[in-house]
Amino acid sequence: MRRLLLALPFALLPLAIAHAADEHDHDHDHEHGSLGAHEHGVGRLNAALDGQTLELELESPAMNLVGFEHVASTEADKTKVAAARAQLEKPLVLFSLPAAAGCKVVSQELESPLFGDKPQADDHDDDEADKGGHEHHHDHSEIHAHYQFNCTAPGALKTLDLANIFNTFPATQKIQVQLISASGQQGTEVTAKAASLKF
């Protein structure tokens, strides 16, 4: 399922961000400010259109989507997390995919410590290290959403409009996008004022 998206870092400009299969390395990169550094207000979107298959992978600091990064303990925080998750569970609306493209969700996967996801085995090792004085690991919660669509008329996908993401999650200031489609490859940055790009 992630074959197309994993090809992005090798195919695109240095702006490309790998979603590593090994979550430890992914988090480790965030901690040390490398290419995929965690930055409030900035989200990342990998998009690949191959034939009738469209894959979208959105990664964002939790701060952009819910306004905080700690595990929700109050009812107000739990309500914000539930509301953000509900929005993320409607990708056809969130990404404004045109009805003419006939896109149907084949699979979707939402991951975040805020959703109660259990840490990976490698994360447990980091927890042990945190007890040794490295407190920064849990200060950067992210939300990852991966979607796969089957589009019966992919030719109708002329643009990818991210305006609804900015409208739904106003703390998101910009999104770094890496896109592969039949017309080529591109890496660009979109903002609320210029929220769409061509496939």
Side-chain angles (χ1 to χ4, degrees), residues 37-199:
H38 178 102
E39 184 181 346
H40 292 174
V42 180
R44 294 171 305 281
L45 179 70
N46 294 327
L49 179 62
D50 182 21
Q52 293 186 330
T53 301
L54 172 64
E55 289 192 61
L56 299 175
E57 184 174 48
L58 178 67
E59 300 178 6
S60 176
M63 182 67 75
N64 298 357
L65 307 186
V66 298
F68 56 86
E69 296 194 339
H70 56 270
V71 175
S73 55
T74 67
E75 285 307 312
D77 285 354
K78 289 176 184 177
T79 299
K80 288 179 186 174
V81 169
R85 184 172 189 142
Q87 295 295 330
L88 291 168
E89 289 175 343
K90 299 176 191 164
L92 293 171
V93 174
L94 197 60
F95 292 102
S96 302
L97 297 178
C103 296
K104 303 282 184 220
V105 179
V106 174
S107 67
Q108 66 181 31
E109 196 178 325
L110 303 177
E111 298 175 8
S112 175
L114 297 176
F115 298 153
D117 292 339
K118 297 203 186 317
Q120 302 290 324
D122 288 342
D123 290 344
H124 179 70
D125 294 340
D126 289 342
D127 291 342
E128 295 300 319
D130 288 346
K131 292 175 186 170
H134 300 285
E135 298 293 327
H136 61 280
H137 179 74
H138 293 290
D139 295 338
H140 299 292
S141 292
E142 291 217 344
I143 294 175
H144 297 241
H146 181 256
Y147 309 98
Q148 184 177 32
F149 306 87
N150 180 280
C151 302
T152 56
L157 294 170
K158 303 290 188 202
T159 60
L160 182 59
D161 185 356
L162 304 180
N164 277 350
I165 293 176
F166 292 105
N167 293 336
T168 304
F169 305 112
T172 301
Q173 298 164 2
K174 60 185 174 181
I175 300 173
Q176 297 169 340
V177 181
Q178 291 80 48
L179 174 68
I180 294 177
S181 68
S183 62
Q185 309 162 1
Q186 60 179 306
T188 190
E189 206 168 75
V190 296
T191 63
K193 291 182 181 176
S196 67
L197 63 157
K198 290 184 179 178
F199 265 103

